[in-house]
């Protein structure tokens, strides 16, 4: 076949396959069999294989997931993602309605289901999907385009090639897919997800798009944030338009003439919520007219034209089978109820925190009690009340242990505290929690070292504290249960990499009381080296304006301990960087302005910028005649086109590596 004929057929196949995807995933009305679909897909794959010049990031063949990335890039949202104000009952809804009518007169509302998943922001340029991002902090999110492309309900191409369209939606996992996934994971000895929302989040934040592709995620599109070329003047029309363009739109919305109808819809769905094949955690009420929305505007945090109605927390009855005590990093003993497992709000609950002894006494909670527990959203389940009428007389009162359950050291309660604390310096629980903290993301960020592995390492006597991590050997690791060769190698590499993490995260990792990630940064930039910080007295510390007496005292005490010295010496001997590094590595990119576009294999977006700067270059976001060159990764988009148009030099990742000495 000639290229020209192949190109024609490829176009045809893509159009057909897209139409079938749409019929299947959005309209739920397939018109061909799976086998016929597979045949078309194979034909397209073959042609794209034979004629690589016909490949396209927007081809339906891309749905299976491309190659893994090392880290997600960041995306700056063109329109900030606001959050919604909450209404917890009819009164709150009436207040909202009053505020709306005072500002915009009589309005109609659209009431939609509030899908319990994750916000995604989709940008289409000239009718094709250009980026998909997570919410992040509302201003910048993570670039998860490669993952979202594997989600069939997200169109890769719009029906009409609009100049620009930005859509917000909710990515979620249907209940049945969630149950199936957890079953599989249980059989494979992997940790299960607590609820569909966590499962969806875990599936989207995968560096390997093929994993996302295997997870049956869906996206309901619910808002148009920005558009050029469409004519819509209401939320209702937006939903229609989105559906026409190929998006999956939830069809359980209701147009309400007044707030009474809104309240009715909200209460109605509160009753029916469990009958849906996906989870919802409330309703979203939106002013229908876009003109009225504009008039109402937004506060710094949320739009005035919409509100989230939150369903009351779901409660269930169960039995407290036991009360155990957990010891945290700072030695606090937390009584925890062991429950007869029960399903609440979409997940199975078998533990509830009892906070402290005062709360147990206040609610008069005893072992063996029938209790009402409640779970609201992400919050740890808690006991609402004891069903005293169900008591048999066999229930047992709980007492805080006099000695620590993990190390038998004395337990004390300071006068001004609700908590009991273990006094043992070498308490294994404190040590374990301390190590878990040390390796956590904002601290030394050692990937692949979760609580389970830390537990295994301690149990096997391979480590006693976090500094011992740096002397672990490959042979030690592969002996551990469920640790393959590959994971052991990856873990060692992650540990090695953490040595260069820098002073601020290291200070945070030490777990000094009152010293969080922010204080870590502050101390690092003031003292520049661990040595200087460790010698600082209370007075020196108080000179930093943001450090108060409690923090200063805590830091000074920490560094007075002999154990601390030993610990830091060990880290230093292992080669852990303990000074604020001058990150300048060479001048090879001096005077060069560099624009990075597309996905790179070796670096994330932030990382590559650091590398450019470390070699004297200047990273920039937009291509102009002054750009020295454009570093183009996979799936590069409009910036690449612009570079070509302006005649700016384009280099590959390999070429870049050559320039910076293989960094
Ligand atoms: S509209 C300007 N509609 O609920 C705010 N949000 O804070 C636009 N959500 O995490 C939000 N279903 O992702 C809207 N039908 C729906 C929704 C919805 C779920 C989520 C949203 C965000 C939270 C609202």
């Amino acid at each position: 076949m000639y290229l020209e004929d192949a190109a024609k057929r490829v176009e045809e196949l893509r159009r057909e396959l897209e139409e079938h995807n749409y019929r299947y995933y959005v309209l739920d009305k397939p018109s061909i069999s799976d086998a016929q679909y597979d045949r078309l897909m194979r034909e397209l794959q073959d042609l794209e294989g034979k004629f690589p010049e016909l490949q396209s990031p927007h081809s339906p063949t891309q749905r299976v997931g491309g190659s893994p990335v090392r880290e997600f890039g960041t995306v700056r949202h063109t329109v900030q993602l606001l959050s919604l104000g909450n209404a917890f009952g009819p009164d709150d809804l009436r207040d909202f309605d009053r505020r709306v009518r005072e500002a915009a007169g009589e309005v109609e509302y659209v009431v939609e289901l509030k899908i319990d998943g994750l916000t995604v922001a989709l940008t289409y340029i000239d009718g094709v999907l250009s980026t998909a991002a997570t919410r992040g902090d509302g201003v910048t999110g993570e670039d998860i385009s490669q993952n979202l492309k594997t989600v069939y309900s997200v169109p890769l191409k719009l029906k009409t090639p609009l100049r620009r369209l930005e859509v917000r939606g909710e990515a979620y996992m249907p209940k049945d897919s969630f149950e199936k996934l957890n079953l599989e994971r249980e059989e494979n000895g992997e940790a299960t997800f607590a609820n569909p929302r966590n499962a969806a989040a875990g599936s989207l934040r995968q560096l390997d798009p093929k994993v996302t592709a295997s997870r049956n995620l869906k996206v309901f599109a619910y808002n148009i944030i920005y558009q050029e070329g469409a004519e819509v003047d209401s939320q209702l029309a937006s939903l229609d338009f989105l559906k026409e363009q190929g998006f999956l739109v939830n069809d359980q919305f209701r147009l309400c003439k007044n707030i009474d109808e809104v309240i009715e819809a909200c209460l109605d769905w509160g009753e029916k919520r469990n009958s849906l094949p996906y989870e919802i955690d409330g309703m979203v009420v939106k002013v229908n007219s876009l003109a009225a929305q504009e008039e109402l505007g937004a506060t710094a945090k949320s739009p005035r034209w919409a509100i989230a109605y939150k369903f009351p927390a779901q409660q269930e009855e169960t039995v407290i089978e036991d009360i155990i005590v957990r010891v945290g990093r700072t030695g606090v003993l937390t009584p925890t109820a062991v429950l007869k497992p029960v399903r609440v709000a979409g997940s199975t609950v078998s533990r509830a925190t009892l906070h402290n002894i005062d709360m147990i006494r206040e609610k008069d909670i005893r072992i063996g009690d029938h209790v009402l527990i409640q779970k609201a959203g992400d919050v740890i389940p808690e006991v609402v009340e004891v069903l005293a009428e169900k008591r048999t007389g066999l229930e047992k009162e709980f007492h805080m242990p006099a000695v620590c359950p993990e190390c038998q050291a004395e337990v004390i309660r300071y006068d001004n505290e609700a908590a009991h604390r273990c006094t043992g310096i070498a308490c294994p629980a404190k040590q374990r929690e301390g190590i878990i903290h040390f390796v956590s993301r904002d601290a030394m960020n050692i990937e692949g070292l979760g609580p389970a592995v830390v537990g295994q390492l301690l149990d096997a006597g391979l480590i006693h504290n976090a500094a011992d991590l740096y002397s672990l050997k490959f042979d030690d690791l592969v002996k551990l249960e469920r640790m393959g060769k590959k994971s052991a190698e990856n873990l060692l590499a992650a540990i090695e990499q953490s040595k260069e993490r820098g002073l601020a995260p290291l200070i945070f990792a030490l777990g000094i009381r009152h010293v969080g990630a922010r204080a870590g940064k502050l101390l690092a930039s003031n003292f520049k080296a661990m040595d200087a910080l460790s010698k600082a007295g209370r007075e020196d510390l108080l000179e930093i304006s943001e450090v108060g007496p409690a923090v200063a005292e805590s830091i000074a005490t920490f560094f007075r301990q002999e154990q601390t010295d030993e610990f830091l010496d060990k880290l230093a001997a292992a080669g852990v960087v303990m000074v604020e590094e001058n990150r300048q590595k060479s001048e090879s990119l001096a005077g060069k302005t560099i624009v990075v576009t597309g996905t790179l294999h070796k670096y994330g977006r932030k990382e590559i910028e650091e590398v450019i700067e470390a070699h004297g270059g200047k990273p920039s976001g937009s291509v102009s005649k002054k750009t020295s060159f454009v570093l183009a990764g996979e799936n590069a988009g409009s910036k690449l086109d612009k570079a070509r148009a302006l005649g700016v030099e384009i280099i590959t990742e390999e070429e870049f590596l050559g320039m910076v000495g293989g960094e």
Side-chain angles (χ1 to χ4, degrees):
M1 195 188 271
Y2 291 113
L3 179 62
E4 213 171 293
D5 298 328
K8 237 198 231 143
R9 180 65 184 146
V10 161
E11 264 320 299
E12 221 169 78
L13 284 166
R14 284 183 187 157
R15 213 171 327 112
E16 257 183 71
L17 282 161
E18 265 153 29
E19 183 59 27
H20 291 306
N21 282 338
Y22 178 63
R23 295 190 66 87
Y24 187 94
Y25 289 98
V26 177
L27 303 181
D28 200 14
K29 278 192 204 119
S31 60
I32 57 170
S33 70
D34 289 359
Q36 284 169 307
Y37 179 88
D38 290 343
R39 253 199 309 280
L40 294 174
M41 182 59 97
R42 255 194 318 265
E43 189 184 343
L44 179 57
Q45 280 165 338
D46 283 351
L47 284 173
E48 289 181 359
K50 273 187 208 135
F51 300 94
E53 54 271 65
L54 295 180
Q55 283 171 9
S56 146
H58 314 294
S59 170
T61 53
Q62 299 304 303
R63 297 280 197 192
V64 293
S67 44
V69 293
R70 235 180 130 254
E71 193 188 67
F72 297 114
T74 49
V75 175
R76 213 184 153 78
H77 299 300
T78 36
V79 180
Q80 190 183 347
L81 278 85
L82 300 173
S83 53
L84 290 182
N86 289 323
F88 294 100
D91 289 349
D92 292 347
L93 287 171
R94 288 192 196 283
D95 284 346
F96 164 73
D97 175 55
R98 201 172 17 77
R99 289 193 301 269
V100 166
R101 282 186 297 125
E102 271 167 20
E106 293 301 313
V107 296
E108 290 182 328
Y109 295 105
V110 176
V111 180
E112 296 168 18
L113 302 182
K114 185 164 181 300
I115 313 297
D116 197 7
L118 293 96
T119 319
V120 289
L122 308 168
T123 304
Y124 291 79
I125 294 175
D126 295 330
V128 296
L129 178 62
S130 115
T131 45
T134 61
R135 175 178 203 285
D137 61 7
V139 180
T140 50
E142 283 179 319
D143 184 344
I144 49 164
S145 311
Q146 295 312 313
N147 290 345
L148 252 291
K149 277 187 187 170
T150 71
V151 176
Y152 281 90
S153 46
V154 173
L156 301 178
K157 253 182 166 171
L158 303 176
K159 301 268 156 156
T160 334
L162 300 186
R163 260 290 302 135
R164 190 180 178 92
L165 177 72
E166 289 186 41
V167 173
R168 300 272 155 89
E170 196 81 353
Y172 70 97
M173 187 179 283
K175 286 183 195 165
D176 56 351
S177 308
F178 163 72
E179 313 253 335
K180 220 174 100 211
L181 174 64
N182 261 356
L183 261 172
E184 270 170 31
R185 291 179 71 86
E186 220 171 282
E187 278 166 16
N188 295 335
E190 293 165 310
T192 52
F193 290 109
N195 52 49
R197 202 171 77 90
N198 288 3
S203 307
L204 268 191
R205 294 200 72 263
Q206 281 289 339
L207 295 172
D208 184 354
K210 292 206 170 56
V211 178
T212 314
S214 73
R215 293 282 173 84
N216 192 29
L217 294 176
K218 296 191 177 181
V219 170
F220 277 130
Y222 59 65
N223 263 16
I224 297 176
I225 282 300
Y226 179 86
Q227 51 101 351
E228 277 170 43
E231 273 174 41
V232 290
D233 58 2
S234 69
Q235 172 63 9
L236 217 54
S238 304
L239 293 176
D240 272 346
F241 179 78
L242 287 171
K243 186 157 179 175
E244 269 167 34
Q245 291 303 319
F247 293 92
L248 177 64
V249 174
N250 189 287
D251 54 10
Q252 302 292 349
F253 54 81
R254 213 183 276 178
L255 180 66
C256 296
K257 296 250 169 305
N258 52 46
I259 201 68
D260 287 325
E261 287 185 24
V262 169
I263 292 171
E264 194 190 314
C266 289
L267 297 178
D268 205 25
W269 274 110
E271 299 289 320
K272 293 192 297 196
R273 61 185 292 198
N274 290 325
S275 65
L276 292 162
Y278 41 80
E279 298 216 332
I280 59 174
D281 60 345
M283 307 293 288
V284 181
V285 182
K286 302 175 184 175
V287 167
N288 188 32
S289 145
L290 298 191
Q293 286 187 7
E294 196 154 322
E295 210 178 317
L296 284 154
T299 67
K301 277 203 318 232
S302 45
R304 291 198 190 85
W305 47 265
I307 197 163
Y309 170 79
K310 290 281 181 81
F311 292 137
Q314 300 209 68
Q315 301 188 340
E316 285 301 330
E317 185 185 328
T318 185
V319 176
I320 296 190
E321 293 180 330
D322 197 3
I323 295 179
I324 56 170
V325 170
R326 297 198 200 216
V327 188
R329 175 164 66 88
T330 55
V332 171
L333 270 57
T334 308
T336 305
V338 179
L339 306 170
K340 191 166 154 222
V342 58
R343 272 191 84 75
V344 200
S347 56
T348 303
V349 170
S350 54
R351 293 271 194 280
T353 173
L354 299 175
H355 302 286
N356 52 53
I357 195 73
D358 293 343
M359 161 163 162
I360 295 179
R361 293 287 174 263
E362 202 176 293
K363 294 189 175 165
D364 189 19
I365 295 169
R366 302 182 198 173
I367 299 168
D369 265 337
H370 283 257
V371 290
L372 221 48
I373 61 156
Q374 112 174 354
K375 202 174 151 251
D378 253 356
V379 191
I380 305 167
E382 52 178 14
V383 174
V384 188
E385 64 173 315
V386 171
L387 304 172
E389 67 280 8
K390 293 208 168 170
R391 282 207 171 136
T392 61
L394 295 174
E395 294 76 17
K396 282 195 297 224
E397 206 175 291
F398 168 80
H399 296 281
M400 269 321 231
V403 296
C404 170
E406 302 234 18
C407 75
Q408 275 70 48
E410 194 187 342
V411 167
I412 57 164
R413 185 181 194 183
Y414 293 105
D415 288 344
N416 55 354
E417 283 195 345
H420 285 71
R421 285 177 193 275
C422 160
T423 54
I425 295 180
C427 176
K430 282 198 216 172
Q431 286 177 342
R432 182 182 62 234
E433 299 301 318
I435 298 171
I436 293 171
H437 169 76
F438 186 88
V439 304
S440 63
R441 199 199 288 208
D442 289 339
M444 299 305 270
N445 191 22
I446 303 182
E447 237 178 273
L449 200 51
V453 181
V454 170
Q456 280 181 302
L457 291 169
L458 283 165
D459 290 346
L462 290 167
I463 59 169
H464 302 284
N465 60 37
D468 296 335
L469 291 170
Y470 294 99
S471 17
L472 284 172
K473 302 268 172 316
F474 178 78
D475 291 339
D476 299 331
L477 291 178
V478 281
K479 274 188 240 138
L480 299 177
E481 233 177 280
R482 290 205 289 272
M483 174 76 71
K485 279 191 187 155
K486 188 85 195 130
S487 325
E489 274 166 20
N490 289 345
L491 182 50
L492 283 177
I495 293 174
E496 189 58 33
Q497 210 182 8
S498 75
K499 292 180 183 172
E500 308 269 328
R501 185 85 168 110
L503 185 59
L506 177 61
I507 296 173
F508 172 58
L510 295 176
I512 307 167
R513 231 176 138 199
H514 303 308
V515 177
R518 229 183 78 76
K521 283 189 194 139
L522 198 66
L523 294 167
S525 68
N526 273 278
F527 289 96
K528 307 275 192 248
M530 189 67 86
D531 197 40
L533 174 62
S534 70
K535 292 197 181 103
R538 205 172 160 275
E539 301 308 315
D540 305 316
L541 289 158
L542 281 172
E543 284 196 0
I544 303 173
S545 65
E546 286 161 82
V547 172
V551 184
E553 189 57 54
S554 161
I555 297 170
T557 311
F558 178 84
F559 284 104
R560 266 204 305 275
Q561 312 298 313
E562 218 169 284
Q563 283 182 356
T564 303
D565 278 344
E566 282 166 27
F567 184 78
L568 293 176
D569 285 348
K570 244 181 173 170
L571 291 184
V576 175
V577 171
M578 305 238 212
V579 290
E580 270 258 272
E581 276 199 330
N582 176 3
R583 296 190 176 261
Q584 205 59 37
K585 297 203 171 132
S586 85
E587 290 292 323
S588 56
L589 302 177
K592 301 253 190 300
T593 304
I594 301 157
V595 175
V596 183
T597 175
T599 312
L600 302 177
H601 283 279
K602 196 164 171 206
Y603 307 102
R605 198 34 69 94
K606 261 221 198 81
E607 249 181 317
I608 185 72
E609 289 184 359
E610 281 170 13
V611 174
I612 292 173
E613 282 168 352
H615 291 275
K618 188 167 156 255
S620 156
S622 55
V623 183
S624 74
K625 277 197 191 130
K626 292 198 188 119
T627 308
S628 313
F629 53 83
V630 168
L631 167 53
E634 229 173 77
N635 297 310
S638 58
K639 286 183 193 169
L640 190 56
D641 299 338
K642 188 152 180 211
R644 284 199 187 109
L646 292 175
V648 172
E649 188 186 353
I650 298 162
I651 62 164
T652 64
E653 191 170 350
E654 280 78 46
E655 287 169 317
F656 177 81
L657 286 174
M659 295 169 135
V660 296
E663 161 90 41

